[in-house]
Each structure stands twice: as C-alpha cells, then as structure tokens.
C-alpha cells in the first residue's frame, strides 16, 4: 500500500534553488515597493525630520497638519470600515449557533456499494465493473433511468462490454 506524503507547510523555495532572473526580479520589485512606500510617506518623514532636528521638538521648516483636510480625506474610509465591522459582528452573532453546530457535526457515513446499487436497481457486480471503466457511454430511457452502459476505448468493441439494464429505450416516434 502506498502511503500519501504531505508536503511541508509553508512551501518555502530557498533562494539557492531559484533561477537568477527570479532573484533579480524579486530584488527589483522589493526595491521598487520600498521606494514607493517612502514616496507615499514623504510628508510624514519630512515632518519627523523637522521635529527632531535643531531646535528639537519644534516645527520650523514645515507647516503643521491641516486636520480638516485630513478628516475630509479619511472620513469615507472610516465610515465604510465601521459599517463593515458592524456588519461582520452582527453576522457572526446571528450565525454563531449554526457555526458551532457545524464544527461539532459528525462526518456523513459514505454510502455503501450495496445500498448505492439497490437505490438505482443495479447489481453490485455491474457497479464494480463500471468503476473500472476509463470511459463509459451511458444510455438513458424515457424515464431518465440508466438503460445501458457501454465501455468505450481504443481497440475495444463496444458491443463486447455493453451491459443492458431492464428494457431497451423506447423508440422515437416517426413523423
């Protein structure tokens, strides 16, 4: 019996195993993202430099923050964040019981071959044989029940492997 081996998690690819162009791409992207982050934080960085330069703890070269402009920028984001958090909290409160029951639910027992065959009026031997087929052509009757199963494959005659169940499908009416 072959045992399944599970991969190590997280799947880490060592830098020594990566091709040179992947290392170059990752290095350039990292430098680009850090430069973008510094650019976006430029006003804050200049404010910090001014605050800690001589005379220390006093703003001399840059202007102070315009709190009204800052509030106008972040107001919509804060409102949407608050609404989303409230929605998630209410949803989790309403769904808590269902989620707790789902965690404790026992897994369903798999359907036995015998019961599966009986539910469709097949024999167990037919189901076993059909499981081994790589390609199967299934014919249905007028009542949407399986009437025959044919194995289709290279170098194989379909009539040799055909299994017919019950009566043949009803013929189509002629016009």
């Amino acid at each position: 019996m072959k045992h399944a081996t599970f991969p190590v998690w997280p799947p880490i690819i060592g830098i020594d195993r990566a091709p040179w162009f992947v290392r170059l791409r990752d290095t350039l992207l990292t430098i680009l993202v850090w430069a973008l982050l510094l650019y976006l934080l430029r006003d804050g960085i200049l404010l910090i430099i001014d605050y800690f330069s001589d005379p220390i703890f006093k703003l001399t070269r840059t202007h102070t923050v315009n709190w009204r402009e800052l509030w106008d920028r972040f107001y919509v984001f804060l409102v949407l964040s608050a609404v989303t958090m409230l929605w998630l909290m209410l949803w989790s409160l309403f769904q808590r019981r269902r989620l707790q029951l789902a965690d404790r639910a026992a897994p369903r027992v798999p359907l036995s071959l015998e019961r599966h065959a009986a539910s469709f009026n097949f024999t167990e031997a037919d189901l076993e044989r059909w499981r081994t087929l790589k390609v199967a052509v299934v014919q249905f009757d007028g009542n949407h029940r399986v009437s025959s199963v044919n194995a289709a494959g290279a170098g194989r005659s379909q009539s040799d492997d055909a299994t017919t169940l019950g009566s043949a499908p009803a013929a189509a009416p002629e016009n």
Side-chain angles (χ1 to χ4, degrees), residues 67-97:
W67 292 106
R68 181 67 185 167
E69 181 184 340
L70 189 65
W71 175 251
D72 289 342
R73 284 186 178 184
F74 288 113
Y75 175 73
V76 176
F77 172 75
L78 293 175
V79 169
L80 289 176
S81 297
V83 168
T84 305
M85 287 188 306
L86 181 65
W87 174 69
L88 284 173
M89 287 177 9
L90 290 174
W91 180 85
S92 65
L93 288 174
F94 290 132
Q95 299 295 325
R96 180 177 53 182
R97 178 79 175 144

Side-chain angles (χ1 to χ4, degrees), residues 83-136:
V83 168
T84 305
M85 287 188 306
L86 181 65
W87 174 69
L88 284 173
M89 287 177 9
L90 290 174
W91 180 85
S92 65
L93 288 174
F94 290 132
Q95 299 295 325
R96 180 177 53 182
R97 178 79 175 144
R98 186 181 64 84
L99 294 172
Q100 287 173 346
L101 291 175
D103 283 343
R104 288 187 237 133
R108 295 184 183 212
V109 179
L111 186 63
S112 68
L113 188 61
E114 176 184 316
R115 286 191 57 203
H116 192 190
S119 67
F120 290 104
N121 297 325
F122 301 144
T123 64
E124 289 181 53
D126 286 339
L127 283 181
E128 281 293 334
R129 186 170 55 250
W130 295 339
R131 279 178 143 180
T132 61
L133 299 177
K134 291 185 178 183
V135 178

